[in-house]
């Protein structure tokens, strides 16, 4: 079902998912993850409703941009999350995106609610801003948009689209009360973005105390 | 002593207990866990007083709804917790409950004391509310009752019963200063409920700061 | 050097030390641990200055109540901590104590400094108070004395002695800015006491926020 | 490429890096680490941009004080961090320094920003101050300088130099918004210093709440 190269990608993705699970960033079967397959219009994506501490290779399937399961996975009884459309939307808009990750941490959730009125989080003065692709200095301002949550994915897509003009200036966005979406040119870059944003959430929360 | 299917359940339960222990949700030999056995009126339950970081299959016994040890465990020198009656009470009232879990986290304890005057915690606006069975949207209000603690279990049962009318509208309850009880149609669902409530406790605590 | 039974005790002690290290309660080679050997006036105790994440059986020695290394360990180049005298003092005073543990957590340190003027921490209303030996209900008040720190151990002993009249009413004490001493009838009981006090520290700290 | 003794050092360094990664003190490929090789003017140092949870022996190279890769590593396609110069600067100034570690924790970052106006953190009254080499009592004041961040390493060196007169009185310094540099006579001492400072950061943060 996977080419040897895709299998390598799948294994790297599973390893990243276990890392996030151990951090507490994917509680209660929440969150989803994908990587572009060998074909540019096909995506390897996590199935819905899996305990991420027990996630393995058999919890990944291949789909096309319409969300249809790849013929090579015919007969699969598993399905991807309702949020699949957010992943495929990003891959379609930006050929440079090869991995999309959605985590759901306590502080991502809390900040998305606390700062919802400002519609974004503003990060400034942190060396770790250089953890985000193409940021070459800490002397910049990084904006992370916060979009309203909805059970209608197309509505989330419409809220996202305001922030998704090419060339892409953001590295991710928060959905209110729902968590983080970020991406990268490959799995390592997307994982680094997750770690960077979660670090910045923790700093922002701790700074707020004083 | 266990049927092959029960042994599978027992192993899954032990795995969940180790997960909770690693999160710090079962400190100092506290907490107890059970799953309905192959017989609808029999329960596999954790023995009392075990260090959950070292819990294993031999720390599980089978009992009936009167708390009596199953004949197949005759001669067992281990006994279940005084709180066994809370478990069997739930199984007797609700045939759809097949697993009961009681965890004892810092924030569950703290919130149960801080919000005791309100007699409940109100959760609203969190996507992760969908981690609780049959919740299909974040646009709802989830109420988690807080009942007084007592060393007399029947007194706790009386406090619980007010919240336990069929059809069941709650997914768990807190005992003041004592921790969480939650349940599910199977082990995976009950574990997901524990993770969901602990996540919501962490969010509630972190939100309170600002 | 160890009898078979002592070796068993030593292995159980090492396992507890690794657990504490993983919790962050023994940072930077701090903390020390002991268990009474097969001889009532002999103690198996951790050597000084070891990274607790790498602690193993070779880091334990046997000493008598004068702190002298047991003949069976003659030639040992390792030595026990300066705080050994606190351990042997407790064993000499109370025959029912068979294990002494000293951990050094962030919140134990912080509370010992914040509550130093009150000379004790008062715990009340927590079910987990039952984690402390002979506490049969949550409806009691547990007092944990805080004594001043000193580089002169005899001075710490004098401060402790006020709280160490038989029959023993306390389950441990804090040294200001320095951490927790607790004990038990065996290793499991002492470990349960460490977990209980650390849980209560975390609750006390979290409660303080509101 | 490594002598047997250097290989031992390299393995100990990798083990320390994994420990820091598990603590969350080296997020998103940040941080760097080095140890003096068998030759006093040569350094074994971590390569740039590696996920520290996956760091291994092949991620270490040997360089001289000019930052040039050792002939025995000729053809290496990996390079050390831009911050290499901070490491070699410390080795050149102080022959007693044999290991340099740079971690990047949330609280190190937060305190470096919150206390930037005071240009230092003042630690006092903590027993764990004895975790820092040559500190024999808790009755002293430890100062940790905070220097401004810059993408120009020579500018950071100039800020550091004010604090680096021999004999060395400090055990490390913070770079604003960027994290901790500390060192030791060997890997164990440098690791103990990292653990000590991170513990003191956590205490300082928790104390600030009341």
């Amino acid at each position: 079902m996977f080419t040897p190269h895709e299998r390598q990608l799948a294994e790297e993705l599973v390893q990243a998912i276990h890392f996030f699970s151990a951090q507490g960033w994917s509680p209660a079967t929440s969150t989803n993850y994908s990587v572009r397959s060998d074909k540019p219009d096909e995506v390897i994506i996590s199935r819905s409703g899996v305990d991420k501490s027990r996630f393995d290779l058999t919890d990944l399937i291949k789909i096309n941009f319409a969300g249809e399961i790849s013929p090579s996975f015919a007969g699969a009884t598993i399905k991807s999350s309702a949020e699949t459309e957010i992943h495929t939307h990003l891959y379609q808009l930006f050929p440079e995106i090869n991995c999309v990750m959605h985590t759901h941490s306590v502080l991502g959730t809390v900040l998305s609610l606390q700062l919802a009125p400002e519609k974004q989080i503003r990060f400034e003065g942190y060396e770790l801003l250089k953890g985000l692709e193409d940021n070459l200095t800490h002397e910049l301002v990084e904006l992370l948009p916060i979009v309203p949550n909805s059970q209608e994915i197309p509505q989330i897509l419409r809220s996202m689209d305001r922030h998704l003009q090419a060339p892409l200036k953001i590295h991710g966005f928060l959905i209110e009360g729902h968590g983080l979406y970020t991406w990268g040119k490959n799995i390592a870059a997307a994982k680094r973005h997750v770690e960077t944003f979660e670090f910045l959430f923790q700093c922002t929360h701790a700074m707020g105390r004083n």
Side-chain angles (χ1 to χ4, degrees), chain A:
Chain A
M1 284 143 124
F2 289 130
T3 68
H5 175 249
E6 286 172 350
R7 199 185 151 88
Q8 227 174 352
L9 293 176
E11 281 169 358
E12 192 181 345
L13 195 59
V14 167
Q15 193 171 17
I17 290 170
H18 288 171
F19 178 87
F20 298 146
S21 171
Q23 308 294 318
W25 299 341
S26 57
T29 79
S30 69
T31 76
N32 37 71
Y33 308 90
S34 68
V35 60
R36 211 185 279 265
S37 83
D38 286 351
K39 292 185 194 158
D41 58 352
E42 214 184 43
V43 171
I44 300 168
I45 194 163
S46 56
R47 65 181 265 231
S48 183
V50 183
D51 182 335
K52 295 306 181 292
S53 70
R54 305 175 72 172
F55 194 93
D56 66 31
L57 283 180
T58 65
D59 296 317
L60 291 169
I61 47 172
K62 273 202 275 188
I63 57 164
N64 65 17
F65 287 168
E68 296 158 349
I69 289 185
S70 151
S72 72
F73 277 74
T77 56
I78 60 181
K79 65 184 179 69
S80 60
S81 157
E83 291 157 34
T84 295
E85 219 175 325
I86 299 180
H87 292 248
T88 52
H89 190 68
L90 286 162
Y91 288 116
Q92 279 179 285
L93 287 179
F94 300 100
E96 70 268 32
I97 293 182
N98 289 309
C99 179
V100 177
M101 293 181 165
H102 166 44
T103 50
H104 197 137
S105 70
V106 167
L107 292 184
T109 301
V110 164
L111 289 171
S112 75
L113 291 167
Q114 291 179 324
L115 299 176
E118 280 141 70
K119 297 195 170 69
Q120 62 183 18
I121 310 185
R122 186 185 166 91
F123 299 114
E124 197 172 1
Y126 295 105
E127 175 71 14
L128 210 68
L129 288 170
K130 287 165 63 185
L132 302 174
E133 201 75 16
D134 296 324
N135 284 359
L136 301 178
T137 171
H138 69 288
E139 290 165 322
L140 52 79
V141 174
E142 176 80 23
L143 299 178
L144 182 69
I146 304 173
V147 304
N149 196 13
S150 170
Q151 296 309 316
E152 303 303 319
I153 301 302
Q155 204 161 313
I156 293 182
L157 295 183
R158 276 193 299 277
S159 304
M160 282 166 54
D161 275 345
R162 297 180 40 228
H163 305 286
L164 294 178
Q165 293 90 355
L168 200 46
K169 290 222 187 68
I170 59 170
H171 293 90
F173 58 90
L174 279 171
I175 305 179
E176 215 178 305
H178 185 152
L180 173 72
Y181 271 86
T182 186
W183 47 76
K185 64 183 175 190
N186 54 33
I187 297 174
K191 175 174 185 266
R192 201 181 68 231
H193 287 180
V194 170
E195 288 188 69
T196 300
F197 280 122
E198 291 295 342
F199 181 91
L200 295 172
F201 295 160
Q202 292 169 35
C203 288
T204 302
H205 185 70
M207 291 291 288
R209 172 176 297 162
N210 292 285

